[in-house]
Amino acid sequence: MKLKEIHSLAIEMAEEADFRGKKGVEEALERRKEKYEKLSDKKKEEYDKSDLTNPYPDSIILNETDDKEVKKVLVGIDVEPAELLLAREIGGVDLVISHHPLGKGLARLSDVMELQVDILAHYGVPVNIAEGLTKERISEVARGLNGANHERTVDAARILNMNLMCLHTACDNLAARFLREEIEEAKPSRLGELMKVFEGMEEYDRAKEISAGPQIFVGGKERRCGRIALTEITGGTAGSSKMYEKMAQAGIGTVVGMHMGKEHYEEAKSSLINVVIAGHMSSDSLGVNLLMDKLEKEGIEIVPCSGFTRVSRNKSK
Ligand SMILES: [Fe+2]
């Protein structure tokens, strides 16, 4: 597979797994196209045309050096110049993939957060409320990212002449669908049963070994789950902390997320929403693994680094 084929495959899989469904994704792209058509010629020139076909601006090719077959990939959750040097040191690496967004993908992380509106609506939060609070949060995230040194790693890739891409929401969508299906199948009624769903998933078992396994943040093993919502696995980054109250009113009983900060924890707790935190690197690894399985099948060697726990599900199927 070549660089662009790998990227296209990732986007295709992410669309397939998207909460909005393929049709919902197509509609979102259609709306972008309509907006684009209305722009002035100058604005059209400045517009990133890849947005018209790629729904995930945080999942992009950042540096393309050549068009050769990719045989070996170094994959990390966070890629910095150190990982690129590592790739050169071990040799033979044709492509480096970072899960967390870099460069323009990082600068535009807030642009994927629209997805959260649809996820929340899927779980019954009135769409106007989900949209109002998410929009507010999107500008907050955009402002927060404004001062970052976005291009640092991309610059290093250019100097080292290395192919680089980041696949963030593209992989998080895969993790979200996987967990959603596992949880829906298990139908846990108490939080203790919900915690059991993670058992046997190697990413989480290995995380447990380093004390980073799934945890009940709010609630207890004996507490009832109520309606379980996977609102915090995909969609860029944490949404609005004001959402928990609205989620409780919408009938959500338990939220499953990857990680949670203090403010969100406090709000969830006071809204009496149970919170199960699956784990950050482990959940990120799960999503990346589901894509890497496809690359592995194509004969590509995967070298994991930087917090990425490689687990292949190819043999078990
Ligand atoms: Fe992450």
Side-chain angles (χ1 to χ4, degrees), residues 9-247:
L9 171 71
I11 300 304
E12 218 172 276
M13 286 175 71
E15 287 177 346
E16 194 99 0
D18 201 291
F19 263 88
R20 296 170 286 193
K22 246 204 150 352
K23 199 166 163 269
V25 175
E26 274 163 24
E27 279 167 14
L29 286 175
E30 207 45 54
R31 266 199 307 281
R32 271 190 207 170
K33 259 177 224 157
E34 282 167 19
K35 275 190 187 166
Y36 170 77
E37 292 304 336
K38 285 179 193 150
L39 295 176
S40 66
D41 286 349
K42 188 171 181 296
K43 289 268 184 219
K44 268 186 188 157
E45 231 170 82
E46 290 163 5
Y47 192 91
D48 185 345
K49 315 285 184 297
S50 67
D51 270 11
L52 300 173
T53 49
N54 176 5
Y56 316 107
D58 63 352
S59 304
I60 55 173
I61 295 172
L62 295 151
N63 194 47
E64 188 177 353
T65 60
D66 46 45
D67 199 26
K68 65 175 180 190
E69 279 294 313
V70 173
K71 295 196 181 82
K72 188 170 172 179
V73 189
L74 183 82
V75 188
I77 301 300
D78 293 288
V79 168
E80 292 190 342
E83 278 72 28
L84 299 181
L85 288 170
L86 195 63
R88 196 169 68 167
E89 183 70 25
I90 61 175
V93 173
D94 307 301
L95 164 66
V96 177
I97 298 177
S98 173
H99 172 57
H100 285 150
L102 302 165
K104 200 174 180 180
L106 176 62
R108 299 199 50 210
L109 174 64
S110 58
D111 290 349
V112 295
M113 291 173 68
E114 278 270 341
L115 170 59
Q116 292 185 17
V117 176
D118 294 278
I119 298 174
L120 288 157
H122 168 87
Y123 286 112
V125 178
V127 75
N128 55 311
I129 291 175
E131 192 157 48
L133 287 177
T134 304
K135 289 274 182 206
E136 209 176 88
R137 176 75 179 132
I138 286 174
S139 28
E140 191 181 295
V141 170
R143 281 195 302 277
L145 289 168
N146 188 268
N149 186 355
H150 307 105
E151 284 290 280
R152 183 184 177 200
T153 306
V154 186
D155 283 339
R158 280 189 206 111
I159 293 168
L160 292 166
N161 202 33
M162 196 155 286
N163 284 321
L164 176 67
M165 92 172 63
C166 57
L167 298 171
H168 187 226
T169 295
C171 292
D172 284 346
N173 268 4
L174 304 181
R177 178 176 65 180
F178 189 91
L179 288 176
R180 192 170 104 190
E181 286 176 356
E182 292 286 323
I183 292 169
E184 281 174 3
E185 201 187 302
K187 294 188 187 66
S189 67
R190 309 258 168 180
L191 291 188
E193 292 163 32
L194 174 55
M195 292 296 283
K196 282 211 171 71
V197 177
F198 299 101
E199 285 173 15
M201 286 191 223
E202 219 176 308
E203 290 89 348
Y204 297 108
D205 288 345
R206 284 209 240 158
K208 244 187 243 170
E209 288 168 16
I210 56 155
S211 299
Q215 280 185 45
I216 299 173
F217 264 38
V218 182
K221 276 185 179 175
E222 292 302 318
R223 290 291 186 97
R224 289 160 225 248
C225 301
R227 183 156 200 219
I228 302 168
L230 281 95
T231 45
E232 294 175 25
I233 302 290
T234 191
T237 186
S240 168
S241 61
K242 294 179 198 159
M243 201 68 81
Y244 297 104
E245 190 196 338
K246 309 295 176 197
M247 287 160 86

Side-chain angles (χ1 to χ4, degrees), residues 99-100 168 258-259 280 284:
H99 172 57
H100 285 150
H168 187 226
M258 279 198 198
H259 49 91
H280 190 187
D284 276 345

